């Protein structure tokens, strides 16, 4: 029978990010050896493991392990040193490239890392126009709370620094829209007045922080009652009139 004389690995030292895999290639000499079976093993399975096909998996983000390939025939050994590392970041994006938000209202933005399990040292959120948009990182720094302050446009930027010092960034354009009026009500539903007398009505615009709180007053019959900015003046004609505020 042709006996195994040597075994060699194509790589004798590799770096492998956590949860990543790499197949090691072994070469047995002579190529026509009868028993080409190989037993794979790791000196530290808490750092890196290896399966029966020589596929190595880093299970930690730090430390070293030696992967051994041993021939069944002759116990010939080849080794590869594996250094486990943290996961490098490739890019970052924000879940929304653009966003509309009402003035005085809040919303959330999320930074999406590529790869998702990249190890990062810091995630920094900033507003390029702080008078228009405020931004505050949440407890999970991958998310941030934004608040509309002024009606205008602003850019929110996120910068991610990984464990190797690499920085990537992304931006979102935020448009702050005015808060629309949803309704208006008066403090009285009915009012009795004597002719030539004066009274007043007080309007409440909803919501209270609506951007434009200007209203217009109308009387259905100005001979009965006139209205100017909520001040009612009864005429000399008796009757019923409807006061409308819009």
């Amino acid at each position: 029978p042709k006996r195994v004389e040597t075994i060699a690995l194509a790589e004798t030292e590799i770096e492998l990010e956590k949860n990543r895999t790499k197949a090691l290639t072994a070469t047995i000499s002579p190529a026509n050896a009868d028993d080409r079976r190989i037993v794979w093993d790791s000196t530290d399975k808490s750092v890196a493991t290896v399966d029966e096909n020589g596929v190595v998996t880093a299970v930690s983000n730090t430390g070293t392990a030696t992967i051994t390939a041993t021939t069944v025939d002759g116990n010939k050994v080849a080794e590869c040193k594996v250094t486990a590392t943290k996961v490098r970041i490739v890019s970052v994006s924000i879940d929304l490239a653009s966003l509309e938000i009402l003035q005085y209202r809040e919303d959330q933005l999320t930074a999406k890392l590529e790869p998702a399990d990249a190890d990062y040292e810091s995630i920094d959120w900033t507003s390029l126009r702080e008078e228009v948009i405020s931004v505050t990182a949440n407890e999970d720094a991958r998310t941030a709370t934004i608040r509309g302050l002024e009606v205008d446009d602003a850019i929110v930027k996120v910068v991610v620094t990984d464990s190797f010092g690499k920085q990537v960034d992304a931006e979102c354009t935020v448009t702050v829209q005015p808060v629309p009026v949803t309704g208006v009500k008066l403090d009285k539903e009915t009012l009795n007045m004597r002719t030539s007398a004066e009274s007043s009505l007080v309007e409440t615009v909803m919501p209270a922080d609506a951007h434009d709180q200007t209203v217009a007053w109308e009387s259905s019959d100005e001979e009965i009652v006139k209205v100017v900015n909520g001040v009612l003046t009864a005429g000399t004609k008796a009757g019923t009139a409807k006061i409308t505020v819009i």
Side-chain angles (χ1 to χ4, degrees), residues 12-229:
T12 58
E13 189 169 346
I14 62 172
E15 281 192 358
L16 202 56
E17 296 177 356
K18 184 179 179 181
N19 297 327
R20 304 311 189 260
T21 62
K22 184 175 179 63
L24 297 180
T25 302
T27 301
I28 290 177
S29 181
N32 60 349
D34 290 323
D35 188 350
R36 300 172 56 80
R37 289 176 297 164
I38 299 171
V39 176
W40 297 89
D41 201 2
S42 168
T43 59
D44 192 341
K45 294 180 176 61
S46 68
V47 174
T49 60
V50 62
D51 68 10
E52 67 274 11
N53 298 310
V55 177
V56 180
T57 302
V59 294
S60 174
N61 61 16
T62 184
T64 60
T66 299
I67 303 300
T68 60
T70 305
T71 62
V72 172
D73 178 17
N75 290 322
K76 306 299 182 182
V77 179
E79 297 181 345
C80 176
K81 179 183 177 183
V82 178
T83 300
T85 70
K86 294 181 178 180
V87 180
R88 292 171 170 81
I89 195 165
V90 175
S91 64
V92 65
S93 61
I94 297 177
D95 59 334
L96 297 171
S98 62
L99 172 66
E100 289 190 354
I101 186 174
L102 292 178
Q103 189 179 20
Y104 313 124
R105 302 299 191 268
E106 294 183 346
D107 210 329
Q108 303 288 316
L109 292 176
T110 301
K112 301 176 71 174
L113 308 185
E114 176 58 40
D117 61 346
D119 288 290
Y120 58 86
E121 289 296 323
S122 64
I123 298 181
D124 298 308
W125 293 88
T126 55
S127 169
L128 302 190
R129 295 185 66 192
E130 294 182 348
E131 73 279 10
V132 175
I133 286 287
S134 69
V135 58
T136 305
N138 298 330
E139 184 175 353
D140 179 352
R142 289 171 295 183
T143 65
T145 300
I146 63 170
R147 180 176 175 83
L149 302 178
E150 290 186 4
V151 176
D152 209 337
D153 295 331
I155 291 174
V156 172
K157 184 175 183 179
V158 63
V159 178
V160 182
T161 305
D162 75 5
S163 299
F164 301 89
K166 179 180 178 181
Q167 287 190 332
V168 292
D169 62 72
E171 295 180 349
C172 172
T173 300
V174 181
T175 301
V176 181
Q177 300 282 16
V179 177
V181 173
T182 59
V184 60
K185 64 181 180 179
L186 296 174
D187 62 332
K188 300 181 184 71
E189 293 185 357
T190 60
L191 181 64
N192 295 317
M193 297 179 64
R194 295 182 180 277
T195 56
S196 304
E198 283 194 354
S199 189
S200 63
L201 292 172
V202 177
E203 82 281 7
T204 299
V205 176
M206 299 171 291
D209 57 359
H211 183 71
D212 186 357
Q213 303 219 6
T214 305
V215 297
W217 295 84
E218 291 181 357
S219 170
S220 63
D221 190 335
E222 292 193 344
E223 290 185 6
I224 297 174
V225 63
K226 292 182 178 181
V227 59
V228 178
N229 296 329

